Amino acid sequence: MIDESAKSLLATIREKSGQDILACYHCQKCVVGCPVAEFMDVPPNAIHRLIQYGRKDEILKSATIWLCAACETCGTRCPNDIDIARVMDALKQIAVKEGVKGKERDVAVMHGLFMSGIRKRGRMHEVSLIRDLKLRTGGFFKDIRLGIKMFRLGKLSLSAECVKNVKDIKQMFDRAKAIE
Amino acid sequence: MTYSYYPGCSLHGSSREYDDSSRGVCAELGIELKELPDWICCGASSGHSLDEVLNIGLPARNLKIAEQAGLDVVVPCAACYNRLKTAEHAMREKESVRNQMRDLIDYDHKGRVQILNMIELIQDQISLDTLRSKLVKPLTGLRVVCYYGCLLVRPVEVTGFDHPEHPRSLDEIMSAIGAEALGWSYKTECCGGSHSLTRTDIVRVLVDGIVDMAKEAGAQAIVTACPLCLGNLEMRQSDGGFPVMYFTELLGVALGMNESRDWLKKHVIDPTPLLGSLGLLP
Amino acid sequence: MTRIGVFVCSCGLNIARTVDIEEVVRAMGDYPGVVHAINYKYMCSDPGQSTIKDAIRDENLDGVVVASCSPALHEVTFRRTCESAGLNPYMCEIANIREQCSWVHNDREKATQKAGETIATVVEKVRFNEALVPISVPVTRRALVIGAGISGIQAALSIANSGHEVTLLEREPSIGGHLAGLAETYVTHDCSPCLLSSRIVEVKRHPRIETLTCSEIEDLKGYVGNFTAKIKTKASLVDPVRCDGCGLCVEKCPVAVAPQTERTPGKTKAIWIPSPQVVPAEAVIDRDICTHFQDGCDLCKKVCPRDAIDFDQGDRSMEKEVGAVVVATGFGLYPKEKIGEYGHGKYRDVIDGLEFERLLSVWERQGREIRRPSDGKVPREVVFIQCAGSRDPEHGMPYCSKVCCMYTAKHARMYKQAVPDGQAYVFYIDVRAGGKGYEEYVNESTKDEGTLYLRGKVARVFEDNGKIMVWGVDTLLGKKIEIAADLVVLATAMVPSEGAKDLAMRLKISSDQYGFFSEIHPKMRPVESPTSGVYLAGCAQAPRDIPETVAHASAAASKVAALFSRDKLSHEPIVVNVDEDICTGCAICVEACPYGAREIDEWKRIASVREVLCQGCGACAAACPNGATGQKNFTASQVLSMIDVAI
């Protein structure tokens, strides 16, 4: 049942996340403590098992990897000291790299826009992020009243801050890609 | 006392009142904060979700600036604090990461500067006794619960700050300025963090759980030290009227700072009626 | 004149909560024959006992009744107290007003009345009690140990090293039991033959141990300290004195057996040398497969340079006088043939744990690869199924076999060492790894060797195209699992060794519903059978692993040593006696006695009593048609006066 591709998936995740997935004894303490587990399609501990089974597609397409809020509750409580959020990060990174079209597209898009914003300006600009997100995911009228209220309170600024040496940041992003 | 200061993007945006109150309170307590020159975004949740290299690279670059400035760096935003601490931890623990970062940002991390969150700064660098001695208006009659969220206290081996399940530091600060910090069980339950924009439905459920628990504990307001948490707690609660404040704002009120009125005005849920009713407004 | 003292215990509030102690004492103070009645908070405490002693001296008591807890707890205590004050211990009796009164009643008034009546009946008994002296019995300082696996060997060595003679009985041709057939032992991976051989050498060289192989016990008569064991020894066909273990006979023997499936280690032919590393080594013949008795083959005899083969050797019977018996008959495995869903034993690549041990032994000791029985392929995927029969009421074994979780973990780990690119799967219900270093050992298997532990029972195993298909479930994921395995290892349940029930009857000891021999008390007396002088060691009593077995066997041996440390044994004097004037010799008592204590004196033609065998049960006294048999301190007049008071 466990074939070579399963073994290689396991090795990749262990290496990328630095977490010993095999130490998991499936007590599901992580599941019970997880604030978003009830919205996940695959419980966090089951992700470990599916990695062992080599069910890559099922994992990378799952909502779970994108719904993990990285709150670290599981990692703090895990009796076997597995930082599951790091496993989820590794899986998200693979999903993006391999262009997997899975569930929770909006979350993935949001993260992507967040990063490209930093690449552009060196800093995150909230209004630009929200605008771009709405352009890509729809829901134009969502939170519109909240937005106006925040604008009136002076919490949102229309002009985006930029670091002085934007070129430097772009270069850093390119270098990071090369290193990876 | 002089420190470097890393505000992060939120404090320059929707969480201005946290930025203002942090700076204001520090000035009042005789601490000089020097904003890091040309700091960049720490990458927040998106960084570690998407990029194996930049999730350390972005905060590492800020640490480089901080080391060059040569002062310990104060980071009020819990998310930024967590990312900077993560990068520091990763570079300290793993030679491979340190080498990778050297290639990325042309700098060899020395680990010379300390990364401090605002609570640590007040508690350890200033001390509660000093704070008490400067008290102008004790917050008598104000019942609050302290909400720490995730990023300040977890992972333990990274932040090393307070206790991951039962933190006390913020409660002690609140007690020191005369407020009643109530015991409750949701100090470190997650608010949903970065899902605010995309999975608002989930964040609503989590936030309502926290707000309901705060009310059950008998609190009149929630006090926090995280812009992400405050944003979610204010904007996503069904109640729509339960105040949430940064602890620095209340420090300002207790220190008798008139500017605190301006900070408190920037809230989606206006906390001034509550403070006014208790006669606490400056 | 009768001077009886009544001592009422409050037992803290255990008795006093329900029984009005003051009232009872007052009533008993007025009872005929009672000259002293007093209460105390804890009568069994030192001050409590002193109260009794002082009263015996001061009041010149000739009988004592202690009203307290069950006599099972403190009868001995209080009798010793009386003895130390100069009163015959059998003049002291216990009235149970706790277990049979205060603990089981709520109504204070009625309970108080009942306590008074209970004490009164016992006063009536004591009034007519007779001062008795324990019966003294000699001890034969030789132990019989039945079974020479690790538990029997351990018990034999411990007893012998305490300075006593031991007869060690083994029904197989060689000693060592199952341990001899294991590859390595968890959790330290000691090589089993290495562990065992030093012990076997010690046994064989021990001047106080007589080892009888191919031998079984036919009958056990007598009583503690004085048993007579009838032993039958089957002909081994090899003279152990002449044989020097040269092995020429093994080379010549034409009857080969497949070593990989053979449970007995080292057995390759019908004649073989068990434990070749043991000096002196000697050959044995398996009569069941040797063809001499069919076709007259005598190749071994011809080739033997020392003329050690003796086909004419006959079975022998002997009687041994022994003082104690240790039953160390070990375990067997539930036959896989009885588990239909796992293939009824018809697939060659579905084997049990002991068979897998053989495969591992071949790998480990001969440096050969692990190969599956059917086609000799190296198995790349192996499924281990735990609780194959155990914890399964449908198969009649609701109990946990206790060792399978650990040996399966060991199997998976050794397999991974033998086949580094192989994959091991373990289906389990729970992993029970209670023991020093056990849990860590199992976890290392999953963590370091990637053994996949799947929580769930396998529903079905069947053969398909050279693979053994395993249908299981991962209950933690709620997913059905299908594995095309090369080899399946069943951790079949541990059951009592063959013939255990029969042996229990011959030894007159009891066994539980599964056939494991029963101990007298599960916590406080775990190595004693209900029959005095017969002790239990190892898996004969319940499934246990090697360290536990060794400890259990050592405990049994220490009981034997304690027994043998005494010059004489004392036997309870509360036995039956015969009124020779009345007895007609009808022999009904002989039938009634379960202990063989009653017999007919052929000279007098009346019944007699072998006091040392009598357990004082009273069955014969009740059966005696004319009252010739009476029981000391339970005479008819005593019992009748007790009944009078009670009603």
Side-chain angles (χ1 to χ4, degrees), chain C residues 115-141:
Chain C
E117 286 167 0
T118 306
I119 298 167
T121 57
V122 180
V123 169
E124 288 307 320
K125 180 174 190 299
V126 170
R127 198 192 298 281
F128 300 106
N129 258 10
E130 191 185 333
L132 300 175
V133 179
I135 300 156
S136 179
V137 194
V139 191
T140 307
R141 292 204 180 83

Side-chain angles (χ1 to χ4, degrees), chain A residues 15-18 33 35-36 38-39 63 66-77 81 83 85-86 88-93 96-97 104 106-108 110-115 118 121-126 129-130 133 137 142-143 146 149-150 153-157 161-166 168-169 171-177 179-180, chain B residues 9-17 35-55 57-59 61 82-83 86 94 100-106 150-151 153-157 164-165 188-190 192-202 204-206 230 234-236 246 265-270:
Chain A
E15 206 255 313
K16 270 177 92 86
S17 67
V36 289
E38 62 182 294
F39 305 98
W66 295 105
L67 288 184
C68 167
C71 72
E72 293 285 353
T73 305
C74 53
T76 304
R77 293 180 187 159
D81 198 25
D83 190 340
R86 298 284 80 76
M88 299 296 181
D89 280 347
L91 292 167
K92 279 179 275 196
Q93 289 159 15
V96 170
K97 204 168 171 183
E104 300 300 333
D106 292 3
V107 180
M110 195 276 290
H111 287 315
L113 292 172
F114 195 104
M115 289 306 277
I118 302 174
R121 304 182 195 91
R123 289 183 190 169
M124 185 268 295
H125 179 236
E126 288 158 336
L129 177 67
I130 295 166
L133 188 66
T137 63
K142 184 186 162 192
D143 287 340
L146 184 65
K149 183 167 188 184
M150 288 178 73
L153 287 167
K155 288 169 90 81
L156 296 177
S157 82
E161 277 182 20
C162 236
V163 295
K164 279 183 217 141
N165 203 343
V166 181
D168 227 31
I169 307 300
Q171 206 178 28
M172 184 178 165
F173 271 68
D174 294 340
R175 255 199 231 180
K177 196 143 245 156
I179 290 171
E180 206 181 308
Chain B
C9 309
S10 293
L11 271 72
H12 273 205
S14 57
S15 310
R16 228 151 277 197
E17 67 273 28
E35 185 161 331
L36 285 180
D38 222 26
W39 56 266
I40 63 167
C41 175
C42 70
S45 308
S46 304
H48 67 75
S49 292
L50 300 190
D51 203 304
E52 203 179 340
V53 179
L54 286 174
N55 89 83
L58 296 172
R61 192 175 193 276
N82 187 284
R83 291 321 301 164
T86 301
K94 279 194 191 156
Q100 196 182 56
M101 287 305 121
R102 193 186 302 127
D103 294 343
L104 185 73
I105 58 173
D106 300 320
C150 314
L151 297 163
V153 292
R154 291 189 294 254
V156 180
E157 64 276 17
E165 305 280 358
T188 61
E189 283 297 308
C190 179
S194 63
H195 286 320
S196 192
L197 293 175
T198 46
R199 285 301 302 266
T200 315
D201 57 327
I202 295 180
R204 272 189 214 289
V205 172
L206 299 178
L230 185 130
E234 271 198 330
M235 297 188 295
R236 304 305 183 196
Y246 292 107
K265 274 185 188 157
K266 285 202 156 64
H267 283 266
V268 171
I269 295 171
D270 186 2

Side-chain angles (χ1 to χ4, degrees), chain A residues 1-4 7 14 20 22-28 45-47 49-50 52-53 55 58 80, chain C residues 381 421-423 425 428 439 443 446-447 450-455 474 476-477 479 481-484:
Chain A
M1 181 175 67
I2 293 181
D3 55 14
E4 287 314 310
K7 286 178 187 171
R14 278 174 110 174
D20 194 355
L22 295 180
C24 175
Y25 54 39
H26 300 276
C27 65
Q28 307 199 6
N45 74 299
I47 292 280
R49 209 11 95 76
L50 292 176
Q52 278 178 278
Y53 290 164
R55 306 264 263 269
E58 200 174 330
N80 291 307
Chain C
E381 290 189 275
D421 62 342
Q423 178 65 46
Y425 304 86
Y428 69 99
E439 174 73 13
N443 286 340
T446 61
K447 245 172 89 170
T451 303
L452 189 62
Y453 270 76
L454 296 154
R455 191 194 170 280
D474 181 343
L476 297 175
L477 248 61
K479 280 188 193 299
I481 300 286
E482 186 182 72
I483 301 171

Side-chain angles (χ1 to χ4, degrees), chain C residues 499-566:
Chain C
K501 278 220 165 94
D502 211 34
L503 184 67
M505 295 221 285
R506 271 177 276 160
L507 299 180
K508 297 176 192 76
I509 58 176
S510 52
S511 33
D512 63 21
Q513 70 219 71
Y514 314 116
F516 292 108
F517 301 127
S518 304
E519 67 283 5
I520 198 159
H521 191 284
K523 290 179 183 67
M524 307 314 288
R525 300 171 74 179
V527 296
E528 295 163 72
S529 83
T531 301
S532 183
V534 178
Y535 304 95
L536 311 172
C539 294
Q541 186 255 338
R544 44 169 55 88
D545 65 3
I546 296 165
E548 287 183 336
T549 291
V550 169
H552 199 241
S554 303
S558 82
K559 285 281 164 195
V560 173
L563 180 72
F564 288 178
S565 70
R566 288 183 275 172

Side-chain angles (χ1 to χ4, degrees), chain C residues 368-411:
Chain C
R368 284 192 265 148
E369 282 173 308
I370 287 186
R371 292 180 180 281
R372 64 178 192 174
S374 66
D375 55 7
K377 256 176 50 182
V378 175
R380 296 291 156 196
E381 290 189 275
V382 178
V383 172
F384 296 90
I385 301 176
Q386 294 194 178
C387 299
S390 305
R391 302 178 68 188
D392 190 335
E394 278 300 300
H395 281 284
M397 287 154 301
Y399 59 86
C400 165
S401 292
K402 208 176 180 187
V403 302
C404 324
C405 286
M406 290 309 296
Y407 80 62
T408 298
K410 179 196 71 177
H411 282 171

